[in-house]
Amino acid sequence: MDAPAGMKVRIQKDLEQSSRKVAERLVEIAASAIRERGRFCLNLSGGSTPRGLYGLLAGEFRSRIPWSRTHLFWGDERYVPKDDSRSNYRMARETMISRVPIPAVNIHPVPVEETPVEAAAESYEKHLRDYFVKREKPIAATFDVTLLGMGEDGHTASLFPGSPALDETKRWAVAVRAPGGIEPPQRITMTLPILNRSNFIFFLVSGEKKRTVALSILKGKDSSAQYPSAMVRAVAEVVWYVDPSILQE
Ligand code: 6PG
């Protein structure tokens, strides 16, 4: 498939195989990141699609990830308590973090305990800047890998179509409200300026309901420009891992 420049498409037989391929790539990138910078910065996505990947990283791939040098961040978070069933942090903790030997200081969740939500977003941004900018050797990229999903409306992280957050050119994290019907409404999301500084971005997208939007993005249709998932760029490359529910070979 001729995907837009800077974007690659990897078609696997199903989501499980896509997750496995991403896990393999994370092992490779983690090894080189640690050789080059002494740490591996992985920016997690939320929702349900990455559950299988996180389970693989905590299970079959557990010994192949350098957990003591791995740092976890969240591309977005629902503004709910960390133990709320809708929390992206809780999902990652249950499927992966609680099962791997990662030091607590390496886990960088969105501070959803701060109020109001704008203060939580500002704190997260400060934390990100302190981590990436005020370090001995500032690096071009921020995250070695950012994992992203895509909603049926083409949103990614919590960047929704038409959101003013898409026009943000300076802030790295902002408070947003999801459009009607998407629960929970209040969220904190990273913005394109920081997401697009990831070295690699891997989309994991599966499910018939996402096919039309995903195909328009992967084919570089003009109509896809409206979708936040089409606005994502990476320093090295953006790779979409899909299966026949989205795209047949
Ligand atoms: C979130 C996610 C969001 C997610 C998509 C896909 O907080 O919901 O960050 O961007 O990746 O909505 O969600 P599913 O994987 O559940 O389809």
Side-chain angles (χ1 to χ4, degrees), residues 5 27 37 69 86 96 105 107 114 125 131 138 144 169 175 180-181 185 191 209 212 228:
V27 167
R37 281 188 298 282
R69 311 286 284 275
R86 300 166 295 177
M96 178 171 65
V105 293
I107 301 167
E114 293 200 28
E125 165 144 2
Y131 185 84
D144 298 292
T169 58
T191 59
K209 291 180 179 175
T212 304

Side-chain angles (χ1 to χ4, degrees), residues 14-240:
D14 54 22
L15 175 58
E16 199 275 339
Q17 190 62 19
S18 291
S19 303
R20 188 171 291 282
K21 290 291 184 186
V22 171
E24 289 289 356
R25 287 291 289 130
L26 294 181
V27 167
E28 293 163 5
I29 294 169
S32 62
I34 284 168
R35 275 196 306 276
E36 289 162 28
R37 281 188 298 282
R39 66 184 195 279
F40 171 50
C41 294
L42 177 59
N43 194 19
L44 299 177
S45 65
S48 55
T49 301
R51 296 183 71 95
L53 169 59
Y54 297 167
L56 282 172
L57 295 176
E60 191 178 320
F61 287 74
R62 185 178 190 276
S63 64
R64 300 172 62 192
I65 297 287
W67 295 107
S68 66
R69 311 286 284 275
T70 294
H71 287 259
L72 300 176
F73 302 82
W74 277 260
D76 73 316
E77 184 55 278
R78 291 85 178 277
Y79 191 58
V80 295
K82 286 190 174 71
D83 59 359
D84 187 297
S85 62
R86 300 166 295 177
S87 163
N88 288 336
Y89 166 80
R90 174 174 158 175
M91 185 273 277
R93 189 187 67 224
E94 288 176 343
T95 55
M96 178 171 65
I97 294 171
S98 60
R99 301 166 57 201
V100 297
I102 184 169
V105 293
N106 290 20
I107 301 167
H108 308 266
V110 179
V112 292
E113 58 283 354
E114 293 200 28
T115 58
V117 63
E118 289 78 11
E122 285 165 20
S123 290
Y124 198 43
E125 165 144 2
K126 182 179 182 314
H127 180 79
L128 292 169
R129 289 188 182 280
D130 286 350
Y131 185 84
F132 285 112
V133 178
K134 294 178 185 164
R135 292 179 69 81
E136 69 289 351
K137 287 185 291 179
I139 49 176
T142 49
F143 309 105
D144 298 292
V145 177
T146 284
L147 300 173
L148 289 175
M150 187 193 80
E152 294 169 28
D153 60 356
H155 81 257
T156 192
S158 283
L159 295 170
F160 293 91
S163 168
L166 293 169
D167 301 324
E168 182 55 57
T169 58
K170 293 192 174 39
R171 295 284 311 276
W172 282 7
V174 293
V176 296
R177 286 191 72 82
I182 295 182
E183 283 298 323
Q186 195 68 67
R187 293 150 177 253
I188 290 157
T189 187
M190 284 185 192
T191 59
L192 293 173
I194 186 171
L195 291 174
N196 291 356
R197 283 182 58 174
S198 305
N199 207 20
F200 291 91
I201 292 183
F202 297 150
F203 275 93
L204 259 183
V205 180
S206 184
E208 301 280 347
K209 291 180 179 175
K210 301 179 182 183
R211 170 182 286 188
T212 304
V213 171
L215 275 180
S216 74
I217 293 171
L218 298 179
K219 291 180 175 176
K221 292 273 176 56
D222 291 347
S223 60
S224 69
Q226 66 185 296
Y227 301 124
S229 296
M231 302 175 188
V232 169
R233 301 289 180 274
V235 174
E237 65 181 7
V238 177
V239 185
W240 283 63

Side-chain angles (χ1 to χ4, degrees), residues 237-248:
E237 65 181 7
V238 177
V239 185
W240 283 63
Y241 289 86
V242 297
D243 54 63
S245 67
I246 300 289
L247 185 66
Q248 299 286 354

